[in-house]
PDB file of all heavy atoms in Angstrom:
ATOM      1  N   LEU A 298      11.977  -0.817  37.169  1.00  0.00           N
ATOM      2  CA  LEU A 298      10.716  -0.167  37.559  1.00  0.00           C
ATOM      3  C   LEU A 298      10.932   0.862  38.709  1.00  0.00           C
ATOM      4  O   LEU A 298      10.058   1.741  38.853  1.00  0.00           O
ATOM      5  CB  LEU A 298       9.722  -1.204  38.018  1.00  0.00           C
ATOM      6  CG  LEU A 298       9.132  -2.094  36.865  1.00  0.00           C
ATOM      7  CD1 LEU A 298       8.351  -3.226  37.464  1.00  0.00           C
ATOM      8  CD2 LEU A 298       8.259  -1.241  35.938  1.00  0.00           C
ATOM      9  N   ASP A 299      12.008   0.776  39.404  1.00  0.00           N
ATOM     10  CA  ASP A 299      12.193   1.721  40.536  1.00  0.00           C
ATOM     11  C   ASP A 299      12.130   3.195  40.163  1.00  0.00           C
ATOM     12  O   ASP A 299      11.378   3.958  40.830  1.00  0.00           O
ATOM     13  CB  ASP A 299      13.533   1.446  41.225  1.00  0.00           C
ATOM     14  CG  ASP A 299      13.475   0.252  42.218  1.00  0.00           C
ATOM     15  OD1 ASP A 299      12.327  -0.115  42.608  1.00  0.00           O
ATOM     16  OD2 ASP A 299      14.560  -0.295  42.582  1.00  0.00           O
ATOM     17  N   PRO A 300      12.774   3.656  39.143  1.00  0.00           N
ATOM     18  CA  PRO A 300      12.593   5.094  38.731  1.00  0.00           C
ATOM     19  C   PRO A 300      11.179   5.442  38.316  1.00  0.00           C
ATOM     20  O   PRO A 300      10.738   6.572  38.585  1.00  0.00           O
ATOM     21  CB  PRO A 300      13.573   5.250  37.564  1.00  0.00           C
ATOM     22  CG  PRO A 300      14.534   4.072  37.673  1.00  0.00           C
ATOM     23  CD  PRO A 300      13.763   2.971  38.245  1.00  0.00           C
ATOM     24  N   ILE A 301      10.465   4.500  37.713  1.00  0.00           N
ATOM     25  CA  ILE A 301       9.080   4.717  37.356  1.00  0.00           C
ATOM     26  C   ILE A 301       8.245   4.850  38.617  1.00  0.00           C
ATOM     27  O   ILE A 301       7.387   5.703  38.707  1.00  0.00           O
ATOM     28  CB  ILE A 301       8.568   3.566  36.455  1.00  0.00           C
ATOM     29  CG1 ILE A 301       9.326   3.571  35.140  1.00  0.00           C
ATOM     30  CG2 ILE A 301       7.093   3.682  36.196  1.00  0.00           C
ATOM     31  CD1 ILE A 301       9.025   2.417  34.197  1.00  0.00           C
ATOM     32  N   ARG A 302       8.463   4.014  39.596  1.00  0.00           N
ATOM     33  CA  ARG A 302       7.742   4.079  40.899  1.00  0.00           C
ATOM     34  C   ARG A 302       8.022   5.432  41.544  1.00  0.00           C
ATOM     35  O   ARG A 302       7.135   6.044  42.115  1.00  0.00           O
ATOM     36  CB  ARG A 302       8.207   2.970  41.787  1.00  0.00           C
ATOM     37  CG  ARG A 302       7.811   1.556  41.265  1.00  0.00           C
ATOM     38  CD  ARG A 302       8.342   0.463  42.176  1.00  0.00           C
ATOM     39  NE  ARG A 302       7.983  -0.823  41.725  1.00  0.00           N
ATOM     40  CZ  ARG A 302       8.877  -1.869  41.597  1.00  0.00           C
ATOM     41  NH1 ARG A 302      10.150  -1.655  41.887  1.00  0.00           N
ATOM     42  NH2 ARG A 302       8.412  -3.048  41.193  1.00  0.00           N
ATOM     43  N   GLU A 303       9.300   5.869  41.532  1.00  0.00           N
ATOM     44  CA  GLU A 303       9.610   7.192  42.190  1.00  0.00           C
ATOM     45  C   GLU A 303       8.845   8.365  41.517  1.00  0.00           C
ATOM     46  O   GLU A 303       8.305   9.192  42.176  1.00  0.00           O
ATOM     47  CB  GLU A 303      11.113   7.364  42.156  1.00  0.00           C
ATOM     48  CG  GLU A 303      11.882   6.389  43.027  1.00  0.00           C
ATOM     49  CD  GLU A 303      13.397   6.463  42.793  1.00  0.00           C
ATOM     50  OE1 GLU A 303      13.807   7.376  42.073  1.00  0.00           O
ATOM     51  OE2 GLU A 303      14.117   5.640  43.384  1.00  0.00           O
ATOM     52  N   ARG A 304       8.864   8.350  40.160  1.00  0.00           N
ATOM     53  CA  ARG A 304       8.194   9.398  39.480  1.00  0.00           C
ATOM     54  C   ARG A 304       6.640   9.336  39.706  1.00  0.00           C
ATOM     55  O   ARG A 304       6.013  10.384  39.894  1.00  0.00           O
ATOM     56  CB  ARG A 304       8.503   9.334  37.931  1.00  0.00           C
ATOM     57  CG  ARG A 304       9.938   9.865  37.613  1.00  0.00           C
ATOM     58  CD  ARG A 304      10.065  10.001  36.100  1.00  0.00           C
ATOM     59  NE  ARG A 304      10.020   8.715  35.376  1.00  0.00           N
ATOM     60  CZ  ARG A 304      11.080   8.019  35.071  1.00  0.00           C
ATOM     61  NH1 ARG A 304      12.350   8.481  35.420  1.00  0.00           N
ATOM     62  NH2 ARG A 304      11.029   6.853  34.420  1.00  0.00           N
ATOM     63  N   ARG A 305       6.109   8.137  39.762  1.00  0.00           N
ATOM     64  CA  ARG A 305       4.703   7.948  40.019  1.00  0.00           C
ATOM     65  C   ARG A 305       4.353   8.575  41.363  1.00  0.00           C
ATOM     66  O   ARG A 305       3.341   9.241  41.553  1.00  0.00           O
ATOM     67  CB  ARG A 305       4.277   6.512  39.941  1.00  0.00           C
ATOM     68  CG  ARG A 305       2.807   6.297  40.279  1.00  0.00           C
ATOM     69  CD  ARG A 305       2.305   4.909  40.252  1.00  0.00           C
ATOM     70  NE  ARG A 305       2.339   4.376  38.899  1.00  0.00           N
ATOM     71  CZ  ARG A 305       3.241   3.548  38.484  1.00  0.00           C
ATOM     72  NH1 ARG A 305       4.273   3.157  39.252  1.00  0.00           N
ATOM     73  NH2 ARG A 305       3.210   3.081  37.205  1.00  0.00           N
ATOM     74  N   ALA A 306       5.117   8.269  42.413  1.00  0.00           N
ATOM     75  CA  ALA A 306       4.875   8.807  43.722  1.00  0.00           C
ATOM     76  C   ALA A 306       4.843  10.340  43.721  1.00  0.00           C
ATOM     77  O   ALA A 306       3.950  10.938  44.399  1.00  0.00           O
ATOM     78  CB  ALA A 306       5.933   8.241  44.733  1.00  0.00           C
ATOM     79  N   ARG A 307       5.753  10.958  43.028  1.00  0.00           N
ATOM     80  CA  ARG A 307       5.754  12.414  42.984  1.00  0.00           C
ATOM     81  C   ARG A 307       4.521  12.941  42.218  1.00  0.00           C
ATOM     82  O   ARG A 307       3.877  13.955  42.655  1.00  0.00           O
ATOM     83  CB  ARG A 307       7.005  12.954  42.235  1.00  0.00           C
ATOM     84  CG  ARG A 307       8.312  12.692  43.000  1.00  0.00           C
ATOM     85  CD  ARG A 307       9.418  13.495  42.510  1.00  0.00           C
ATOM     86  NE  ARG A 307       9.728  13.143  41.094  1.00  0.00           N
ATOM     87  CZ  ARG A 307      10.649  12.308  40.771  1.00  0.00           C
ATOM     88  NH1 ARG A 307      11.329  11.607  41.746  1.00  0.00           N
ATOM     89  NH2 ARG A 307      10.952  11.987  39.465  1.00  0.00           N
ATOM     90  N   ILE A 308       4.061  12.244  41.154  1.00  0.00           N
ATOM     91  CA  ILE A 308       2.930  12.692  40.379  1.00  0.00           C
ATOM     92  C   ILE A 308       1.648  12.566  41.229  1.00  0.00           C
ATOM     93  O   ILE A 308       0.842  13.478  41.323  1.00  0.00           O
ATOM     94  CB  ILE A 308       2.788  11.832  39.133  1.00  0.00           C
ATOM     95  CG1 ILE A 308       3.978  12.151  38.158  1.00  0.00           C
ATOM     96  CG2 ILE A 308       1.481  12.115  38.396  1.00  0.00           C
ATOM     97  CD1 ILE A 308       4.148  11.154  37.053  1.00  0.00           C
ATOM     98  N   GLU A 309       1.523  11.408  41.937  1.00  0.00           N
ATOM     99  CA  GLU A 309       0.347  11.213  42.714  1.00  0.00           C
ATOM    100  C   GLU A 309       0.306  12.144  43.942  1.00  0.00           C
ATOM    101  O   GLU A 309      -0.792  12.403  44.479  1.00  0.00           O
ATOM    102  CB  GLU A 309       0.315   9.766  43.164  1.00  0.00           C
ATOM    103  CG  GLU A 309       0.073   8.746  42.008  1.00  0.00           C
ATOM    104  CD  GLU A 309       0.145   7.295  42.406  1.00  0.00           C
ATOM    105  OE1 GLU A 309       0.726   7.016  43.506  1.00  0.00           O
ATOM    106  OE2 GLU A 309      -0.397   6.424  41.672  1.00  0.00           O
ATOM    107  N   ALA A 310       1.446  12.646  44.373  1.00  0.00           N
ATOM    108  CA  ALA A 310       1.469  13.566  45.499  1.00  0.00           C
ATOM    109  C   ALA A 310       0.969  14.955  45.055  1.00  0.00           C
ATOM    110  O   ALA A 310       0.641  15.761  45.956  1.00  0.00           O
ATOM    111  CB  ALA A 310       2.895  13.661  46.071  1.00  0.00           C
ATOM    112  N   ASP A 311       0.947  15.249  43.809  1.00  0.00           N
ATOM    113  CA  ASP A 311       0.518  16.542  43.313  1.00  0.00           C
ATOM    114  C   ASP A 311      -0.954  16.460  42.968  1.00  0.00           C
ATOM    115  O   ASP A 311      -1.315  16.151  41.786  1.00  0.00           O
ATOM    116  CB  ASP A 311       1.361  16.986  42.078  1.00  0.00           C
ATOM    117  CG  ASP A 311       1.122  18.332  41.652  1.00  0.00           C
ATOM    118  OD1 ASP A 311       0.120  18.961  42.100  1.00  0.00           O
ATOM    119  OD2 ASP A 311       1.953  18.837  40.830  1.00  0.00           O
ATOM    120  N   ALA A 312      -1.796  16.674  43.933  1.00  0.00           N
ATOM    121  CA  ALA A 312      -3.208  16.479  43.804  1.00  0.00           C
ATOM    122  C   ALA A 312      -3.787  17.310  42.683  1.00  0.00           C
ATOM    123  O   ALA A 312      -3.537  18.530  42.581  1.00  0.00           O
ATOM    124  CB  ALA A 312      -3.927  16.769  45.112  1.00  0.00           C
ATOM    125  N   GLY A 313      -4.605  16.737  41.804  1.00  0.00           N
ATOM    126  CA  GLY A 313      -5.254  17.494  40.715  1.00  0.00           C
ATOM    127  C   GLY A 313      -4.416  17.612  39.458  1.00  0.00           C
ATOM    128  O   GLY A 313      -4.929  18.122  38.429  1.00  0.00           O
ATOM    129  N   LEU A 314      -3.085  17.295  39.521  1.00  0.00           N
ATOM    130  CA  LEU A 314      -2.255  17.493  38.376  1.00  0.00           C
ATOM    131  C   LEU A 314      -2.746  16.738  37.154  1.00  0.00           C
ATOM    132  O   LEU A 314      -2.841  17.332  36.027  1.00  0.00           O
ATOM    133  CB  LEU A 314      -0.854  17.033  38.676  1.00  0.00           C
ATOM    134  CG  LEU A 314       0.133  16.937  37.508  1.00  0.00           C
ATOM    135  CD1 LEU A 314       0.428  18.334  36.889  1.00  0.00           C
ATOM    136  CD2 LEU A 314       1.496  16.330  37.907  1.00  0.00           C
ATOM    137  N   VAL A 315      -2.981  15.456  37.272  1.00  0.00           N
ATOM    138  CA  VAL A 315      -3.342  14.637  36.114  1.00  0.00           C
ATOM    139  C   VAL A 315      -4.748  15.100  35.578  1.00  0.00           C
ATOM    140  O   VAL A 315      -4.913  15.186  34.336  1.00  0.00           O
ATOM    141  CB  VAL A 315      -3.362  13.166  36.441  1.00  0.00           C
ATOM    142  CG1 VAL A 315      -3.961  12.306  35.390  1.00  0.00           C
ATOM    143  CG2 VAL A 315      -2.003  12.700  36.724  1.00  0.00           C
ATOM    144  N   ASP A 316      -5.687  15.325  36.492  1.00  0.00           N
ATOM    145  CA  ASP A 316      -6.972  15.816  36.032  1.00  0.00           C
ATOM    146  C   ASP A 316      -6.941  17.106  35.192  1.00  0.00           C
ATOM    147  O   ASP A 316      -7.550  17.254  34.175  1.00  0.00           O
ATOM    148  CB  ASP A 316      -7.992  16.013  37.228  1.00  0.00           C
ATOM    149  CG  ASP A 316      -8.336  14.701  37.901  1.00  0.00           C
ATOM    150  OD1 ASP A 316      -8.750  13.769  37.166  1.00  0.00           O
ATOM    151  OD2 ASP A 316      -8.268  14.623  39.107  1.00  0.00           O
ATOM    152  N   GLN A 317      -6.117  18.031  35.764  1.00  0.00           N
ATOM    153  CA  GLN A 317      -5.990  19.282  35.010  1.00  0.00           C
ATOM    154  C   GLN A 317      -5.302  19.142  33.660  1.00  0.00           C
ATOM    155  O   GLN A 317      -5.651  19.796  32.684  1.00  0.00           O
ATOM    156  CB  GLN A 317      -5.222  20.290  35.844  1.00  0.00           C
ATOM    157  CG  GLN A 317      -5.351  21.750  35.424  1.00  0.00           C
ATOM    158  CD  GLN A 317      -6.851  22.198  35.456  1.00  0.00           C
ATOM    159  OE1 GLN A 317      -7.458  22.095  36.480  1.00  0.00           O
ATOM    160  NE2 GLN A 317      -7.318  22.773  34.345  1.00  0.00           N
ATOM    161  N   LEU A 318      -4.296  18.239  33.586  1.00  0.00           N
ATOM    162  CA  LEU A 318      -3.682  18.003  32.336  1.00  0.00           C
ATOM    163  C   LEU A 318      -4.641  17.451  31.289  1.00  0.00           C
ATOM    164  O   LEU A 318      -4.649  17.852  30.123  1.00  0.00           O
ATOM    165  CB  LEU A 318      -2.533  16.986  32.522  1.00  0.00           C
ATOM    166  CG  LEU A 318      -1.271  17.468  33.188  1.00  0.00           C
ATOM    167  CD1 LEU A 318      -0.334  16.282  33.392  1.00  0.00           C
ATOM    168  CD2 LEU A 318      -0.537  18.497  32.286  1.00  0.00           C
ATOM    169  N   ILE A 319      -5.567  16.573  31.743  1.00  0.00           N
ATOM    170  CA  ILE A 319      -6.554  15.998  30.796  1.00  0.00           C
ATOM    171  C   ILE A 319      -7.549  17.091  30.339  1.00  0.00           C
ATOM    172  O   ILE A 319      -7.873  17.210  29.197  1.00  0.00           O
ATOM    173  CB  ILE A 319      -7.274  14.800  31.490  1.00  0.00           C
ATOM    174  CG1 ILE A 319      -6.320  13.694  31.716  1.00  0.00           C
ATOM    175  CG2 ILE A 319      -8.436  14.341  30.563  1.00  0.00           C
ATOM    176  CD1 ILE A 319      -6.886  12.542  32.509  1.00  0.00           C
ATOM    177  N   VAL A 320      -7.997  17.894  31.323  1.00  0.00           N
ATOM    178  CA  VAL A 320      -8.988  18.970  30.999  1.00  0.00           C
ATOM    179  C   VAL A 320      -8.349  19.941  29.984  1.00  0.00           C
ATOM    180  O   VAL A 320      -8.980  20.292  28.955  1.00  0.00           O
ATOM    181  CB  VAL A 320      -9.468  19.648  32.291  1.00  0.00           C
ATOM    182  CG1 VAL A 320     -10.238  20.944  31.911  1.00  0.00           C
ATOM    183  CG2 VAL A 320     -10.318  18.684  33.095  1.00  0.00           C
ATOM    184  N   ASP A 321      -7.191  20.487  30.342  1.00  0.00           N
ATOM    185  CA  ASP A 321      -6.513  21.497  29.488  1.00  0.00           C
ATOM    186  C   ASP A 321      -6.263  20.869  28.120  1.00  0.00           C
ATOM    187  O   ASP A 321      -6.484  21.531  27.066  1.00  0.00           O
ATOM    188  CB  ASP A 321      -5.268  21.979  30.106  1.00  0.00           C
ATOM    189  CG  ASP A 321      -5.513  22.763  31.359  1.00  0.00           C
ATOM    190  OD1 ASP A 321      -6.647  23.214  31.582  1.00  0.00           O
ATOM    191  OD2 ASP A 321      -4.515  22.997  32.152  1.00  0.00           O
ATOM    192  N   GLY A 322      -5.769  19.660  28.057  1.00  0.00           N
ATOM    193  CA  GLY A 322      -5.460  19.035  26.792  1.00  0.00           C
ATOM    194  C   GLY A 322      -6.654  18.799  25.956  1.00  0.00           C
ATOM    195  O   GLY A 322      -6.645  18.983  24.747  1.00  0.00           O
ATOM    196  N   THR A 323      -7.705  18.389  26.575  1.00  0.00           N
ATOM    197  CA  THR A 323      -8.962  18.106  25.815  1.00  0.00           C
ATOM    198  C   THR A 323      -9.546  19.385  25.214  1.00  0.00           C
ATOM    199  O   THR A 323      -9.986  19.384  24.095  1.00  0.00           O
ATOM    200  CB  THR A 323      -9.991  17.470  26.778  1.00  0.00           C
ATOM    201  OG1 THR A 323      -9.491  16.251  27.265  1.00  0.00           O
ATOM    202  CG2 THR A 323     -11.318  17.196  26.031  1.00  0.00           C
ATOM    203  N   GLU A 324      -9.485  20.474  25.917  1.00  0.00           N
ATOM    204  CA  GLU A 324      -9.984  21.743  25.428  1.00  0.00           C
ATOM    205  C   GLU A 324      -9.139  22.261  24.269  1.00  0.00           C
ATOM    206  O   GLU A 324      -9.662  22.718  23.229  1.00  0.00           O
ATOM    207  CB  GLU A 324     -10.088  22.773  26.522  1.00  0.00           C
ATOM    208  CG  GLU A 324     -11.095  22.476  27.572  1.00  0.00           C
ATOM    209  CD  GLU A 324     -11.120  23.444  28.669  1.00  0.00           C
ATOM    210  OE1 GLU A 324     -10.286  24.376  28.731  1.00  0.00           O
ATOM    211  OE2 GLU A 324     -12.046  23.324  29.620  1.00  0.00           O
ATOM    212  N   ARG A 325      -7.818  22.086  24.373  1.00  0.00           N
ATOM    213  CA  ARG A 325      -6.955  22.563  23.273  1.00  0.00           C
ATOM    214  C   ARG A 325      -7.170  21.689  22.041  1.00  0.00           C
ATOM    215  O   ARG A 325      -7.216  22.128  20.939  1.00  0.00           O
ATOM    216  CB  ARG A 325      -5.503  22.434  23.710  1.00  0.00           C
ATOM    217  CG  ARG A 325      -5.037  23.510  24.671  1.00  0.00           C
ATOM    218  CD  ARG A 325      -3.536  23.627  24.709  1.00  0.00           C
ATOM    219  NE  ARG A 325      -2.846  22.346  24.991  1.00  0.00           N
ATOM    220  CZ  ARG A 325      -2.620  21.930  26.196  1.00  0.00           C
ATOM    221  NH1 ARG A 325      -2.967  22.632  27.287  1.00  0.00           N
ATOM    222  NH2 ARG A 325      -2.020  20.784  26.402  1.00  0.00           N
ATOM    223  N   THR A 326      -7.301  20.332  22.260  1.00  0.00           N
ATOM    224  CA  THR A 326      -7.446  19.404  21.150  1.00  0.00           C
ATOM    225  C   THR A 326      -8.788  19.676  20.425  1.00  0.00           C
ATOM    226  O   THR A 326      -8.891  19.659  19.235  1.00  0.00           O
ATOM    227  CB  THR A 326      -7.386  18.008  21.627  1.00  0.00           C
ATOM    228  OG1 THR A 326      -6.095  17.811  22.273  1.00  0.00           O
ATOM    229  CG2 THR A 326      -7.507  16.998  20.462  1.00  0.00           C
ATOM    230  N   ARG A 327      -9.834  19.991  21.199  1.00  0.00           N
ATOM    231  CA  ARG A 327     -11.137  20.137  20.605  1.00  0.00           C
ATOM    232  C   ARG A 327     -11.120  21.374  19.646  1.00  0.00           C
ATOM    233  O   ARG A 327     -11.721  21.347  18.581  1.00  0.00           O
ATOM    234  CB  ARG A 327     -12.214  20.311  21.627  1.00  0.00           C
ATOM    235  CG  ARG A 327     -13.617  20.320  20.971  1.00  0.00           C
ATOM    236  CD  ARG A 327     -14.785  20.284  21.912  1.00  0.00           C
ATOM    237  NE  ARG A 327     -16.015  20.149  21.210  1.00  0.00           N
ATOM    238  CZ  ARG A 327     -17.249  20.257  21.718  1.00  0.00           C
ATOM    239  NH1 ARG A 327     -17.359  20.473  23.018  1.00  0.00           N
ATOM    240  NH2 ARG A 327     -18.302  20.038  20.976  1.00  0.00           N
TER     241      ARG A 327
END
Side-chain angles (χ1 to χ4, degrees):
L298 290 170
D299 278 342
I301 296 175
R302 294 176 180 130
E303 292 171 6
R304 286 191 291 267
R305 177 182 291 103
R307 292 196 297 269
I308 293 164
E309 291 176 341
D311 190 345
L314 169 65
V315 171
D316 290 313
Q317 196 61 53
L318 285 173
I319 296 172
V320 170
D321 292 346
T323 299
E324 291 177 356
R325 288 197 305 272
T326 303
R327 189 172 187 189

